[in-house]
């Protein structure tokens, strides 16, 4: 797989870094929205290549990290219900909820299985017709189409024991919420490449138009990221913010029409609860009426309601994950970081997830 | 009775009665025969002179057959390698198997054959053993425990606590082959790869190395937790820093591609036929030359050096030039979702 080498070429990286240093005059603040970018930046030491004029902030683009603690509590409550098999992506297992975690629930006897794709969850449902198989649907526009596809498939094949608990979220509304909040002033955003493969670039046009913030969609290799920073600096220095794609091999302006249609077929847009941000209007995907019998929120509504009333959600004391996902604090500014909170004993989701900022800082931080 | 033997393992095979004897006599003894084992006493009796090295390990790999090996080969190589990493010449192994009722006898035969092949290659004898059968669900197909004894040649003092500033770090070959080969077979994660596990006995490679350089400071095989974990263990045990260069670490294209796809770092992925050595700078080239002559050290490379800076930490100069910390693996390796 030669292309990996080409996108990690150190000579080209140095040249790009020099070019950035050459035309970066103003002190600016950029946010990498996506946790995948945070990890690549830390893993390759990209900050060390950038001039001091550029400050980088991590954003909310980590699906596990922005899952509201109350939503996690719902999944844990469902897992204790008899006859239920919970299926989930692995990262969710270790995130502490208000009172427990899925990992803890499994140790206490709950039937919880880690899957690598929604279709695996569907297979489990087929193989265990006497159980109710619930998939914990987290993620952004990247995972939403495959979850939609599994719902359509379950309906078509009349698999009556498969349910999805959707915590799916949309990226443009949360960017709007963050920019509208104005808590931290941003000059540019590194756009999430994988998400934009699905959405295309059009939904982000409001960012330069309304907020005057530069927006460049980036791939995940080191050269992709440097190229995106270079383009952002050019836009900012010339005072001409716009939406640009620096990830042409993946992203088309119109996105992936088939995936978008599938999402439209299954979901309707609703408010969603983001950890650290709160309810953001129009930022969540709820299963629509046509498929509501597959919606775990409907099928288990009584159980979910009483669980919430018995044990209201509460955030872990001292944890600043909420600030970290907004870019309002770096992991190093959290008192728990590296002390009470480590990958072995995580307090908040940002230390657990393979896309969490705290996990990246802890794993790859400077000596 | 004969017919049952051709089919699957029954609980009765572990009863201690006739079926148990038949199982041992027909499936294990013919292949693994040697004078010490053939006596079939309660324990094996042998003489040994010198400093002994003793180790044990249990093998529970899933799946039990994987590209490049199986649980039997792994059980022999793993224990041979653990002995070798103290500089010892492995002599004898014990072999204890716990079988889940229902295992295909044909599978057991295949595994015993690969135990024999690996023991022959490593020139070790299996001199005592045990078989147990448990109910379905109480084990997963087959678990194996092997213990081993070896003799350490005079003048050898190898320990993870011996690394000193200035020492060179040598890696015997490509990393991550075993872990990726296993992951490619896992239920729910199946992907096609031509990669094979690197599972291999390293005792002859080590013998060549310590003969060329009796003053080898540290040796370890980076199994679970990968290269990152082994380097961190050295750094902590010796209270030194270790700086390695990403570009110098050999990684097969297929492993890199699979790791990119799964969001893993090859330095955290398991190996079963690799070693890391730490030697004095003046010895490094000679040790490297010796390693390259052995088929299990052909791709060996000097990947870094030991320093007084950053005690207890491992630093990697990335491909792009900047440096970052390499931490031990924490938790399970799980693919990314986004």
């Amino acid at each position: 797989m030669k292309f990996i080498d080409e996108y990690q070429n150190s000579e080209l990286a140095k040249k790009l870094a020099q070019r950035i240093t050459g035309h970066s005059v103003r002190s600016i603040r950029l946010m990498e929205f996506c946790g995948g970018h945070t990890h690549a930046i830390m893993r390759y030491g990209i900050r060390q290549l950038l001039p001091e004029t550029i400050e980088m902030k991590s954003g909310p683009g980590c699906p596990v990290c922005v899952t509201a603690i109350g939503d996690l509590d719902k999944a844990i409550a469902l897992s204790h219900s008899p006859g239920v098999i919970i299926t989930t992506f692995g990262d969710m297992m270790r995130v502490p909820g208000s009172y427990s975690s899925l990992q803890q629930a499994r140790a206490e006897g709950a039937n919880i299985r880690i899957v690598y794709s929604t279709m695996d969850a569907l297979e489990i449902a087929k193989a265990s017709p006497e159980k109710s198989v619930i998939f914990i649907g987290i993620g952004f526009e990247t995972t939403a189409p495959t979850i939609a596809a599994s719902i359509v498939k379950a309906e078509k094949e009349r698999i009556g024991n498969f349910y999805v608990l959707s915590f799916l979220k949309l990226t443009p509304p949360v960017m709007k919420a963050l920019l509208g909040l104005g808590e931290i002033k941003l000059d540019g955003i590194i756009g999430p490449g994988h998400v934009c493969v699905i959405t295309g670039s059009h939904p982000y046009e409001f960012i330069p138009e309304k907020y005057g913030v530069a927006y460049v969609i980036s791939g995940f290799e080191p050269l992709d990221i440097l190229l995106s920073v270079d383009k952002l600096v050019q836009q900012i220095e010339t005072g001409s913010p716009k939406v640009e794609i620096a990830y042409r091999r993946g992203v088309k302006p119109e996105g992936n029409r088939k995936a978008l249609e599938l999402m439209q077929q299954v979901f309707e847009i609703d408010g969603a609860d983001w950890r650290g941000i709160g309810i953001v209007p129009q930022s969540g995907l709820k299963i629509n009426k046509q498929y509501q019998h597959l919606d775990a929120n409907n099928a288990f509504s009584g159980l979910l309601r009483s669980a919430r009333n018995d044990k209201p959600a509460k955030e872990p004391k001292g944890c600043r994950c909420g600030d970290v996902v907004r870019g309002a604090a770096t992991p190093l500014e959290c008192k728990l970081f590296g002390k009470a909170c480590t990958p072995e004993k995580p307090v908040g989701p940002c230390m657990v997830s393979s896309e969490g900022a705290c996990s990246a800082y802890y794993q790859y931080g400077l000596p | 009775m004969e017919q049952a033997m051709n089919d699957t393992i029954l609980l009765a095979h572990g009863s201690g009665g006739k079926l148990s004897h038949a199982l041992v006599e027909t499936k294990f003894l013919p292949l693994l025969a040697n004078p010490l084992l053939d006596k079939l006493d309660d324990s094996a009796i042998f003489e040994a002179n010198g400093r002994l090295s003793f180790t044990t390990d249990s093998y529970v790999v899933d799946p039990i057959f994987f590209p490049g090996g199986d649980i039997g080969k792994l059980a022999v190589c793993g224990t041979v390698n653990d002995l070798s990493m103290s500089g010892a010449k492995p002599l004898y192994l014990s072999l204890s198997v716990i079988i889940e009722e229902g295992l295909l006898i044909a599978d057991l035969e295949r595994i015993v054959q690969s135990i024999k092949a690996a023991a022959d290659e490593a020139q070790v004898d299996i001199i005592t053993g045990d078989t147990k059968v448990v109910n379905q669900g109480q084990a997963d197909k087959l678990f194996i425990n092997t213990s081993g004894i070896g003799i350490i040649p005079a003048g050898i003092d190898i320990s993870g606590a011996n690394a000193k500033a200035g020492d060179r770090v040598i890696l015997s070959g490509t990393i991550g082959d075993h872990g990726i080969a296993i992951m490619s077979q896992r239920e729910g994660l199946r992907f096609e790869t031509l990669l094979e596990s690197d599972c291999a006995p390293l005792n002859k490679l080590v013998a060549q190395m310590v003969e060329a350089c009796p003053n080898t400071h540290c040796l370890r095989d980076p199994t679970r937790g990968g290269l990152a974990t082994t380097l961190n263990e050295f750094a902590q045990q010796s209270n030194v820093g270790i700086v390695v260069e990403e570009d110098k670490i050999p990684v097969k294209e297929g492993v890199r591609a699979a790791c990119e796809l799964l969001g893993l770092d090859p330095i955290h992925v398991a190996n079963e036929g690799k070693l890391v050595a730490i030697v004095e700078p003046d010895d490094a080239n000679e040790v490297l030359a010796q390693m390259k002559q052995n088929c299990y050290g052909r791709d060996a490379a000097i990947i870094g050096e030991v320093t007084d800076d950053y005690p207890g930490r491992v630093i990697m100069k990335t491909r792009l030039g900047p440096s970052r910390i390499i931490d031990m693996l924490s938790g399970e390796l799980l693919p990314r979702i986004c």
Side-chain angles (χ1 to χ4, degrees):
Chain A
M1 212 154 139
K2 215 165 152 248
F3 85 87
I4 295 176
D5 289 317
E6 288 164 6
Y7 287 99
Q8 297 182 355
N9 182 307
S10 65
E11 285 310 308
L12 285 174
K14 272 180 207 139
K15 275 188 195 154
L16 260 174
Q18 277 165 7
R19 200 164 85 189
I20 294 167
T21 309
H23 61 219
S24 174
V25 181
R26 289 178 46 195
S27 282
I28 58 170
R29 186 184 281 154
L30 308 179
M31 173 182 274
E32 78 273 2
F33 177 85
C34 179
H37 282 142
T38 306
H39 272 255
I41 287 166
M42 297 300 287
R43 178 175 165 185
Y44 293 102
I46 288 174
R47 284 182 189 189
Q48 297 167 50
L49 294 174
L50 297 178
E52 280 177 8
T53 43
I54 301 176
E55 184 190 355
M56 305 281 290
K57 288 276 182 191
S58 304
C62 158
V64 172
C65 307
V66 294
T67 298
I69 196 157
D71 286 344
L72 183 59
D73 291 345
K74 281 185 184 176
I76 296 166
L78 284 182
S79 78
H80 286 298
S81 157
V84 161
I85 299 177
I86 296 286
T87 53
T88 176
F89 294 135
D91 273 0
M92 284 293 276
M93 289 297 288
R94 297 173 57 232
V95 181
S98 303
Y99 304 93
S100 178
S101 67
L102 286 170
Q103 192 174 43
Q104 180 67 31
R106 186 167 71 176
E108 288 162 7
N111 196 340
I112 303 174
R113 316 252 183 102
I114 293 176
V115 292
Y116 302 103
S117 96
T118 328
M119 292 303 171
D120 295 341
L122 208 52
E123 290 303 317
I124 292 174
K126 275 196 220 169
S128 325
E130 75 289 358
K131 304 272 191 191
S132 299
V133 175
I134 303 172
F135 179 75
I136 309 299
I138 63 160
F140 301 122
E141 293 90 339
T142 27
T143 46
T146 59
I147 294 174
S150 75
I151 290 173
V152 171
K153 194 169 179 213
E155 177 78 355
K156 200 169 150 198
E157 297 184 11
R158 297 174 189 279
I159 302 169
N161 62 326
F162 175 74
Y163 306 91
V164 171
L165 188 63
S166 172
F167 302 136
L168 289 168
K169 295 178 174 61
L170 299 172
T171 53
V174 79
M175 291 190 196
K176 192 172 167 191
L178 281 185
L179 291 168
L181 213 59
E183 184 180 26
I184 58 165
K185 164 130 186 37
L186 292 178
D187 300 287
I189 295 176
I190 297 179
H194 292 155
V195 165
C196 295
V197 170
I198 306 293
T199 60
S201 59
H202 295 320
Y204 304 91
E205 298 287 354
F206 72 92
I207 292 174
E209 280 167 19
K210 186 162 175 216
Y211 297 96
V213 170
Y215 188 87
V216 176
I217 297 165
S218 175
F220 291 83
E221 296 300 330
L223 284 188
D224 288 322
I225 296 170
L226 284 168
L227 182 67
S228 304
V229 172
D230 185 46
K231 285 180 182 294
L232 284 169
V233 170
Q234 280 184 41
Q235 286 189 25
I236 296 163
E237 289 295 336
T238 55
S240 52
K242 59 184 176 199
V243 170
E244 245 185 295
I245 304 173
Y247 188 35
R248 289 261 168 212
R249 65 186 187 281
V251 177
K252 294 192 207 104
E254 69 278 15
N256 181 331
R257 199 186 323 144
K258 210 169 165 188
L260 291 169
E261 280 169 6
L262 202 53
M263 284 160 67
Q264 241 167 17
Q265 183 187 335
V266 174
F267 298 116
E268 61 188 44
I269 292 177
D270 196 7
D273 194 0
W274 295 66
R275 192 171 197 150
I277 302 169
I279 307 268
V280 178
Q282 311 266 301
S283 73
L285 291 176
K286 183 183 154 186
I287 297 171
N288 67 20
K289 288 227 162 59
Q290 193 190 340
Y291 296 97
Q292 63 180 3
H293 50 288
L294 299 172
D295 185 346
N297 265 315
N298 268 331
F300 299 91
S301 58
L303 199 137
L304 289 171
R305 207 170 22 246
S306 60
R308 196 185 53 215
N309 292 340
D310 291 350
K311 290 182 164 184
K314 57 169 199 222
E315 294 283 339
K317 224 176 151 185
C319 171
R320 296 194 66 185
C321 278
D323 296 333
V324 170
V325 298
R326 291 197 312 274
T330 71
L332 303 177
E333 289 171 83
C334 176
K335 285 199 176 107
L336 307 185
F337 178 83
K339 297 186 185 88
C341 182
T342 63
E344 292 76 40
K345 261 188 79 181
V347 176
C350 303
M351 187 58 96
V352 179
S353 173
S354 54
E355 290 167 305
C358 298
S359 142
Y361 273 67
Y362 189 90
Q363 250 190 83
Y364 304 127
L366 287 175
Chain B
M1 195 197 301
E2 273 309 302
Q3 205 160 12
M5 292 291 278
N6 290 332
D7 189 8
T8 59
I9 295 285
L10 309 173
L11 263 185
H13 283 117
S15 64
K18 282 184 180 169
L19 271 179
S20 294
H21 273 96
L23 183 73
V24 171
E25 278 165 20
T26 61
K27 302 304 167 201
F28 289 92
L29 290 182
L31 282 173
L32 304 179
N34 61 67
L36 290 177
L37 180 65
D38 295 347
K39 287 189 179 151
L40 293 180
D41 284 327
D42 278 355
S43 58
I45 300 164
F46 57 89
E47 290 193 17
N49 292 315
R51 273 194 308 154
L52 298 181
S53 168
F54 178 48
T55 187
T56 187
D57 209 340
S58 298
Y59 300 85
V60 296
V61 64
D62 169 34
I64 57 174
F65 296 100
F66 47 82
D70 58 43
I71 190 169
K73 183 180 184 186
L74 195 62
V76 172
C77 295
T79 294
V80 162
N81 291 347
D82 281 348
L83 289 172
S84 307
M85 296 309 138
S86 62
K89 175 183 188 303
L91 295 177
Y92 303 122
L93 301 188
S94 68
L95 172 71
S96 185
V97 294
I98 296 171
I99 308 172
E100 183 189 24
E101 139 187 59
L103 180 77
L104 286 177
I105 302 245
D107 283 352
L108 180 66
E109 286 173 340
R110 265 176 79 188
I111 287 164
V112 178
Q113 269 160 12
S114 61
I115 289 173
K116 176 188 163 49
D120 284 352
E121 186 187 347
Q123 291 180 309
V124 292
D125 282 333
I126 286 153
I127 61 169
T128 185
D130 183 51
T131 58
K132 292 281 187 316
V133 180
V134 297
N135 290 312
Q136 261 187 23
Q138 291 184 343
D140 188 5
K141 296 181 198 70
L142 179 71
F143 295 158
I144 301 181
N145 172 279
T146 53
S147 295
I149 280 193
I151 290 195
I152 303 175
I156 305 287
D157 173 26
I158 293 171
S159 158
N162 288 350
K164 295 194 174 46
D167 283 357
R168 299 293 190 266
V169 182
I170 308 179
L171 173 65
S172 68
T174 55
I175 55 167
D177 303 10
H178 177 75
I180 295 296
I182 297 278
M183 265 184 253
S184 73
Q185 300 296 306
R186 283 266 165 91
E187 209 55 61
L189 195 65
R190 220 159 268 226
F191 54 90
E192 295 224 4
T193 169
L194 299 172
L195 286 172
E196 291 196 340
S197 164
D198 56 352
C199 177
L202 298 176
N203 51 325
K204 288 175 189 163
L205 174 65
V206 170
Q208 275 173 270
M209 291 168 64
V210 294
E211 201 183 312
C213 173
N215 188 26
T216 297
H217 288 175
C218 317
L219 275 181
R220 196 156 292 174
D221 52 339
T223 53
R224 278 178 310 166
L227 177 65
T229 298
T230 296
L231 292 176
N232 271 287
E233 286 168 356
F234 285 158
Q236 282 164 22
Q237 273 183 274
S238 299
N239 199 30
V240 293
I242 294 179
V243 180
V244 295
E245 291 179 47
E246 189 172 23
D247 263 349
K248 302 262 171 77
I249 299 171
V251 184
K252 285 197 176 118
E253 283 298 318
V255 171
R256 263 184 84 185
C259 283
E260 288 286 334
L261 194 71
L262 298 169
L264 307 176
D265 194 330
I267 60 169
H268 287 133
V269 182
N271 311 277
E272 285 294 345
K274 295 293 155 29
L275 62 80
V276 186
I278 293 189
V279 300
E280 294 203 349
D282 293 345
D283 294 330
N285 286 331
E286 173 59 16
V287 173
L288 187 67
Q290 285 295 329
M291 290 172 79
K292 282 178 174 288
Q293 284 174 25
N294 186 294
C295 64
Y296 299 127
R298 229 177 10 228
D299 300 325
I302 298 175
I303 59 166
E305 61 179 85
V306 179
T307 144
D308 275 334
D309 303 332
Y310 332 108
R313 311 217 83 158
V314 182
I315 311 294
M316 179 148 91
K317 282 190 189 154
T318 73
R319 210 166 283 127
L320 298 192
S323 302
R324 67 163 164 100
I325 289 180
I326 297 186
D327 197 13
M328 280 199 198
L329 175 66
S330 66
E332 275 179 90
L333 282 183
L334 294 167
R336 66 175 164 223
I337 58 164
C338 181

